[in-house]
Amino acid sequence: MIRIANGQGFWGDWLEAPVRLIEGGPLDYLTLDYLAEVTMSILQKQRKADPTLGYARDFPPLMARIARRVLDQNIRVLANAGGVNPIACAREVRRLAPHLQVSVVLGDEILARMDELIAGGNEFRNMDTGESISCIRDRVQSANVYIGAFPLAEALATGANVVITGRCADAALALAPMLHEFQWKPDDWNRLASGIVAGHIIECGTQATGGNCTFDWQSTPDFAHIGYPIIEANPSGETVITKHPGTGGRVTQATVKEQLLYEIGDPRSYVTPDVVADFTTIELSDNGPDHVRISNVVGRPRPEKLKASISYHYGWKTVGTLVYSAPDALAKAQAADKMVRQRLHDLNLNFDKIHTEFFGINACHAHLAPQVPEPAEVQVRIGVRSTEKASLERFTREVIPLVLNGPPTATGYGEGRPQVREIVAYWPALVSRDVVSTRVEVVQ
Amino acid sequence: MKIPLTRIAHARSGDKGDISNVGLIASKPEYYPILLREVTAERVKRHFGRLVEGSVTCYELSNLAALNFVMEKALDGGGTISLRTDAQGKTHGAALLTMEIEVASGELTD
């Protein structure tokens, strides 16, 4: 049996988590997930400005912090911290922690080859909308293919303490150690699917251990010291989800079920580069306190095509806010919204959308929110979106004047004018498997 | 009698582009048939109203006593494009749990 933990559910997750995992009990592998869908475009811009950047900058200092224990306890780390520049990331890790052996997995990036691939018959149609790539081709900022777990296992075979990848399927980070240790074959679909299901359960960190769980949340123990999830993986494919003893949170069938269903489509076909997993056969059972056993996972052959993650410039957006106090807080906020919209109309500005929410009244649940009889205060929040940046710049001047011009008791404008932010949007597409060739490099 | 769904189920929601999915899980396995009967794709679509502009598909996971609702055009363009506070549908699960359903008093075991 091997223990595989996840110490980072996204870039921005708790900095102490990987350290607590290493100090809190036995562990064989530590996985860290840094890449959200549009993170790649941010990293692409950073690399353009400075060729030594373009990776998750939190990662090298973290490795320096835990290097001694990683070596002493023989824990191996897998992270997609490489972003669009895994080699630079590896070099920085080596600079800060020279005793660590680092291998990288390359080959996920296809940005420079997009035109060649399109000419070769890859349509890159948007998987959600069916639109043609020609709609956005000249605005593409990053393009990467989700790679599977086999190249990561190959990198583990180099003996590296740390394996760094760019874009890979999130759950592949957890499957790779199982491939390496148990030597599962590429067509052992049920075992591969078992590893992917366990990886899916831990990939969002504490969402498997009681975090963000709606089941009787008030009784969740000790959120402040919540334990991060650990897979106990067996050669048979059976896994147990657990956490270190003495940590907060809990692992129950309820917490595991919520995470199983998180961000999935058809549960019969959870598609990954290595296997298609069926979630409708999975059996869960209690295996002692904070131990949930996962068995009977069924897998089907891997897909013909791989998923590409493409990001592109969409336009601009900004959000202006003001707070109104009681009495009549909502009525004042509504009058303010009406006033801003009238002035925007009079200025003849060009917006794709204007969206108003009244915070404390309807921001999250719109018409489904419970009625509040007399709120103490209401924030009016006006968001605007446009492909014309100038219209948004003008909008940022149209909110604060209401403090003197409009309904009484406007406050909460201390941050000043809102910032106009670029919208980088996500374009999911499919690409032939044979155009992607990965390779492993040991970084000196 | 009428009860809010939260009385017999829990939920988690998240996003993929402009799609929001809500995993709805029976708090006890014996409540799963009530979910199947009361919480149809049509009812969920009606409940969310203008929050969800596209279609709603329901997938059954009887092994987990759970349903998965996949809701299209549910996030004002999704992730980075959306102007909503809840651009990623993180609270859609909680919103579904406020839906009222009809049960016989004998169906509730606690």
Side-chain angles (χ1 to χ4, degrees), chain B:
Chain B
M1 61 179 178
K2 280 196 186 311
I3 56 163
L5 201 40
T6 189
R7 175 79 173 71
I8 62 161
H10 59 112
R12 174 169 297 167
S13 51
D15 68 314
K16 274 272 180 286
D18 201 15
I19 295 167
S20 165
N21 88 292
V22 180
L24 180 71
I25 304 151
S27 304
K28 295 177 164 191
E30 60 261 34
Y31 293 155
Y32 180 59
I34 307 178
L35 298 187
L36 277 175
R37 184 187 73 216
E38 294 291 318
V39 195
T40 60
E42 296 72 38
R43 278 219 60 197
V44 170
K45 166 83 179 151
R46 224 182 315 141
H47 177 70
F48 277 93
R50 65 176 189 270
L51 278 172
V52 175
E53 292 171 31
S55 61
V56 175
T57 307
C58 174
Y59 296 99
E60 297 175 12
L61 298 97
S62 59
N63 55 324
L64 304 179
L67 301 173
N68 184 35
F69 292 92
V70 176
M71 313 197 290
E72 294 176 26
K73 294 186 186 161
L75 298 168
D76 181 33
T80 53
I81 299 171
S82 179
L83 295 172
R84 294 185 192 171
T85 293
D86 188 16
Q88 291 168 313
K90 297 283 185 189
T91 73
H92 282 178
L96 181 57
L97 292 176
T98 66
M99 191 171 98
E100 291 217 314
I101 57 166
E102 188 69 40
V103 295
S105 55
E107 286 187 294
L108 300 182
T109 55
D110 57 358

Side-chain angles (χ1 to χ4, degrees), chain A residues 194-276:
Chain A
S194 302
I196 283 293
V197 164
H200 172 72
I201 292 169
I202 70 162
E203 76 185 29
C204 293
T206 52
Q207 279 206 145
T209 58
N212 191 28
C213 182
T214 58
F215 183 81
D216 192 21
W217 70 267
Q218 293 92 335
S219 71
T220 305
D222 197 9
F223 279 123
H225 302 104
I226 191 164
Y228 274 61
I230 299 167
I231 303 167
E232 295 176 351
N234 298 285
S236 66
E238 205 168 85
T239 60
V240 171
I241 306 297
T242 186
K243 65 187 184 71
H244 281 323
T247 56
R250 59 187 168 199
V251 180
T252 65
Q253 292 196 34
T255 68
V256 170
K257 282 181 184 179
E258 281 202 13
Q259 183 53 26
L260 270 171
L261 293 162
Y262 184 62
E263 293 185 348
I264 67 163
D266 181 347
R268 289 162 300 196
S269 299
Y270 183 79
V271 182
T272 77
D274 299 314
V275 64
V276 177

Side-chain angles (χ1 to χ4, degrees), chain A residues 265-404:
Chain A
D266 181 347
R268 289 162 300 196
S269 299
Y270 183 79
V271 182
T272 77
D274 299 314
V275 64
V276 177
D278 186 341
F279 283 22
T280 66
T281 64
I282 299 172
E283 287 170 20
L284 303 184
S285 57
D286 295 330
N287 197 37
D290 291 317
H291 285 69
V292 172
R293 184 194 307 271
I294 320 280
S295 54
N296 202 40
V297 184
V298 171
R300 296 197 305 277
R302 66 186 199 179
E304 295 271 306
K305 294 190 168 184
L306 294 173
K307 187 173 168 185
S309 150
I310 298 168
S311 67
Y312 66 99
H313 170 85
Y314 179 97
W316 307 88
K317 71 176 178 180
T318 187
V319 175
T321 63
L322 280 175
V323 172
Y324 289 89
S325 82
D328 306 320
L330 180 57
K332 291 170 187 167
Q334 285 168 331
D337 176 50
K338 206 173 157 197
M339 176 176 167
V340 170
R341 284 173 181 257
Q342 181 65 53
R343 285 184 164 182
L344 295 178
H345 176 78
D346 294 347
L347 286 166
N348 212 11
L349 300 176
N350 190 6
F351 299 112
D352 296 341
K353 179 140 189 178
I354 305 175
H355 173 75
T356 304
E357 291 172 352
F358 299 100
F359 238 76
I361 305 292
N362 67 2
C364 289
H365 289 172
H367 57 289
L368 298 173
Q371 296 283 309
V372 183
E374 172 62 65
E377 61 269 324
V378 170
Q379 184 188 60
V380 56
R381 181 182 183 280
I382 306 173
V384 289
R385 182 165 76 214
S386 179
T387 50
E388 286 178 23
K389 196 177 183 187
S391 291
L392 294 194
E393 293 290 0
R394 189 67 182 84
F395 168 84
T396 66
R397 312 297 299 264
E398 288 300 319
V399 180
I400 291 181
L402 271 70
V403 172
L404 304 182

Side-chain angles (χ1 to χ4, degrees), chain A residues 45-92:
Chain A
K45 280 183 204 165
Q46 290 176 1
R47 185 180 63 178
K48 221 171 170 180
D50 180 345
T52 68
L53 296 179
Y55 57 86
R57 272 190 274 183
D58 285 355
F59 180 68
L62 168 69
M63 288 316 302
R65 188 174 167 200
I66 63 177
R68 178 47 47 204
R69 293 194 83 121
V70 162
L71 288 166
D72 289 351
Q73 295 170 230
N74 194 24
I75 297 168
R76 307 181 72 187
V77 179
L78 299 100
N80 59 12
V84 299
N85 205 348
I87 296 255
C89 182
R91 287 195 182 125
E92 184 64 2

